[in-house]
């Protein structure tokens, strides 16, 4: 499974990268705004800073909702760096945009996926990734993990589909573990979820005991 970090915070991205387990980054307008990054030139420059940290897979989102403008924005984003994956919303013109970008060799991430039909359409259009939102489904009393399982199963029926399942809106460690059990290709989550995998009270107590025993003998 690939680990992506869902943030626009450069310090968090660097920390995850330094841990040695980071495969990519996902961002969106809300995350940019959270970091105080506003204005087109500043946003584009910030994407470049992210690309300079990681090895690959930086999802950068278009803002437009019509085909022509989405294509223009996608080309601007793709020119930032070869690591950019253009993030496109799951709407009619979004599917058309994904199809065109796919024929141009530009990688895409279809975002705001909430059912299997949407995921199938995105894959048919040639999306590199689809992003089903687990946490947001959980918020409306729907099993987000069940959707991940369904999409993984459907894609598995058709080996010609190259689209990877990118579990998004991952809120906690068990979300991440269950996604790995189901077979999601990627999970994107906050830094605290990735570092949370380090933790177990028996690890802490065991290490404390080892160090105490070493101190006694030395």
């Amino acid at each position: 499974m690939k680990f992506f970090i869902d943030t626009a915070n450069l310090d968090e991205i660097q920390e995850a990268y330094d841990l040695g387990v980071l495969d990519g980054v996902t961002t969106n307008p809300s995350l940019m705004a959270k970091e105080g990054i506003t204005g087109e030139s500043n946003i584009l420059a910030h994407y470049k800073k992210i690309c300079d940290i990681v090895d690959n897979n930086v999802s950068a989102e278009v803002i437009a909702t019509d085909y022509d403008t989405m294509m223009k924005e996608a080309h601007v984003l793709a020119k930032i760096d070869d690591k950019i994956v253009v993030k496109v919303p799951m709407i009619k013109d979004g599917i058309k945009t994904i199809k065109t970008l796919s024929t141009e060799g530009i990688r895409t991430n279809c975002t705001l996926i909430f059912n299997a039909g949407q995921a199938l359409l995105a894959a048919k259009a040639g999306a590199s990734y689809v992003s089903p939102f687990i946490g947001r489904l959980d918020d409306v009393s729907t099993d987000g993990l069940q959707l991940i399982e369904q999409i993984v199963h459907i894609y598995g029926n058709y080996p010609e589909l190259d689209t990877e399942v990118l579990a998004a809106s991952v809120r906690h460690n068990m979300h991440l573990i269950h996604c790995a059990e189901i077979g999601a290709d990627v999970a994107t989550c906050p830094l605290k979820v990735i570092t949370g995998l380090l933790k177990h009270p028996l690890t802490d107590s065991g290490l404390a005991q080892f160090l105490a025993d070493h101190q006694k003998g030395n």
Side-chain angles (χ1 to χ4, degrees), residues 173 195-210:
N173 293 359
T195 56
L197 297 176
L198 293 165
K199 300 174 183 177
H200 195 284
L202 292 179
T203 300
D204 296 339
S205 62
L207 180 59
Q209 185 63 56
F210 292 156

Side-chain angles (χ1 to χ4, degrees), residues 167-189:
S169 190
V170 172
R171 301 272 178 82
H172 48 73
N173 293 359
M174 290 314 300
H175 267 166
L176 183 57
I177 295 301
H178 287 316
C179 285
E181 290 177 332
I182 291 166
D185 300 290
V186 189
T188 187
C189 51

Side-chain angles (χ1 to χ4, degrees), residues 122-145:
K124 287 284 290 178
S128 307
Y129 301 96
V130 293
S131 291
F133 280 45
I134 302 173
R136 294 196 193 185
L137 283 169
D138 288 354
D139 290 343
V140 294
S141 302
T142 302
D143 190 345
L145 288 166

Side-chain angles (χ1 to χ4, degrees), residues 70-83:
M70 278 194 280
M71 285 299 303
K72 290 177 183 177
E73 290 182 4
H75 287 145
V76 170
L77 292 171
K79 287 179 182 178
I80 295 172
D81 196 286
D82 290 340
K83 300 171 186 177

Side-chain angles (χ1 to χ4, degrees), residues 46-162:
H46 198 74
Y47 279 132
K48 179 57 179 173
K49 290 177 183 178
I50 294 173
C51 290
D52 288 343
I53 295 173
V54 301
D55 296 328
N56 203 349
N57 301 307
V58 176
S59 284
E61 189 163 347
V62 298
I63 306 301
T65 56
D66 66 281
Y67 172 79
D68 289 336
T69 314
M70 278 194 280
M71 285 299 303
K72 290 177 183 177
E73 290 182 4
H75 287 145
V76 170
L77 292 171
K79 287 179 182 178
I80 295 172
D81 196 286
D82 290 340
K83 300 171 186 177
I84 291 290
V85 179
V86 179
K87 205 172 181 183
V88 180
M90 167 40 69
I91 55 176
K92 185 176 180 180
D93 277 17
I95 292 297
K96 291 170 62 178
T97 300
I98 288 168
K99 180 61 178 179
T100 303
L101 293 175
S102 175
T103 62
E104 294 177 354
I106 295 174
R107 293 178 297 166
T108 56
N109 175 358
C110 189
T111 189
L112 295 171
I113 297 285
F114 291 101
N115 65 45
Q118 292 176 325
L120 189 55
L121 273 176
K124 287 284 290 178
S128 307
Y129 301 96
V130 293
S131 291
F133 280 45
I134 302 173
R136 294 196 193 185
L137 283 169
D138 288 354
D139 290 343
V140 294
S141 302
T142 302
D143 190 345
L145 288 166
Q146 187 176 53
L147 175 59
I148 299 293
E149 186 171 17
Q150 188 179 25
I151 297 171
V152 168
H153 175 75
I154 290 171
Y155 284 6
N157 288 338
Y158 305 100
E160 68 273 17
L161 295 178
D162 294 327

Side-chain angles (χ1 to χ4, degrees), residues 38-45 76:
T38 58
E40 182 180 357
S41 60
N42 290 330
I43 289 172
L44 296 178
V76 170

